[in-house]
Amino acid sequence: MSTRVTVSTSTHATTYVADKLLYGVKRLVRGVGLPVTKLVGDWAVLEKGIARWLDTGHLTGLVLEIYTEGSSVPSGLVGRFDFGIDYGYAPDGGGDLWFDTAAVAFALKKAGVSVTRCTYRVIATTAAGRPDVEGWSSTTLRSTAGFTQQPLGTAITGGSLGANLSYHRRTA
């Protein structure tokens, strides 16, 4: 008699990366001085969508927009942080599980976001054909006119998945 056990490292990596993406967003929200209560309240829905779209290969990015409602600036955008997803980070699936908290801290320092009277939202960018996930709806990203995107490099890895981090800083 023999027994065969198969472990899905892909599922573990997907869960890990989804969790660390949300943890990264939470650190960014807290780091700029905004309350995390809204994020924590939406955590289950956010995690469900992010994990599902990572699993199907449809998640292309996760964006944190910080904005002022009713601003004289057309989009009201004050700051933005982007996690871009790389499905081929470690093509053999052997990538370590790690999260670079220093990259998040650096992004906060360099972005120079002033959050007086601000709020935020988390947006998943997805590829065409993505499956619907309950609690998620379509939206449009706020304009980044007058901002420059600054890439920081890889912030999260897990299995074959990687996520790079960038921030937008005001230039005009």
Side-chain angles (χ1 to χ4, degrees), residues 53-74:
W53 294 322
L54 276 172
D55 188 49
T56 63
H58 288 92
L59 186 69
T60 58
L62 194 66
V63 176
L64 170 63
E65 289 184 334
I66 301 168
Y67 61 97
T68 305
E69 294 188 65
S71 168
S72 60
V73 177

Side-chain angles (χ1 to χ4, degrees), residues 82-149:
D82 295 30
F83 287 97
I85 307 303
D86 179 359
Y87 288 94
Y89 180 78
D92 64 355
D96 292 334
L97 302 175
W98 62 267
F99 175 53
D100 186 357
T101 56
V104 174
F106 185 77
L108 285 168
K109 180 180 176 184
K110 296 303 282 183
V113 175
S114 173
V115 296
T116 306
R117 299 182 317 274
C118 288
T119 190
Y120 60 91
R121 65 182 185 157
V122 178
I123 301 110
T125 57
T126 56
R130 68 157 171 75
D132 288 336
V133 174
E134 187 177 341
W136 285 83
S137 61
S138 296
T139 192
T140 303
L141 292 167
R142 294 177 183 277
S143 171
T144 55
F147 286 80
T148 300
Q149 186 173 15

Side-chain angles (χ1 to χ4, degrees), residues 14-23 39 42-54 59 62 122 133 136:
T14 298
T15 302
Y16 178 85
V17 171
D19 180 62
K20 293 307 177 198
L21 283 167
L22 281 173
Y23 178 69
L39 180 65
D42 293 340
W43 196 274
V45 170
L46 292 168
E47 188 172 46
K48 184 177 180 181
I50 292 164
R52 174 74 172 129
W53 294 322
L54 276 172
L59 186 69
L62 194 66
V122 178
V133 174
W136 285 83

Side-chain angles (χ1 to χ4, degrees), residues 18-40:
D19 180 62
K20 293 307 177 198
L21 283 167
L22 281 173
Y23 178 69
V25 168
K26 184 177 179 182
R27 284 190 61 134
L28 291 166
V29 168
R30 181 176 284 138
V32 298
L34 290 170
V36 296
T37 50
K38 176 180 167 183
L39 180 65
V40 171

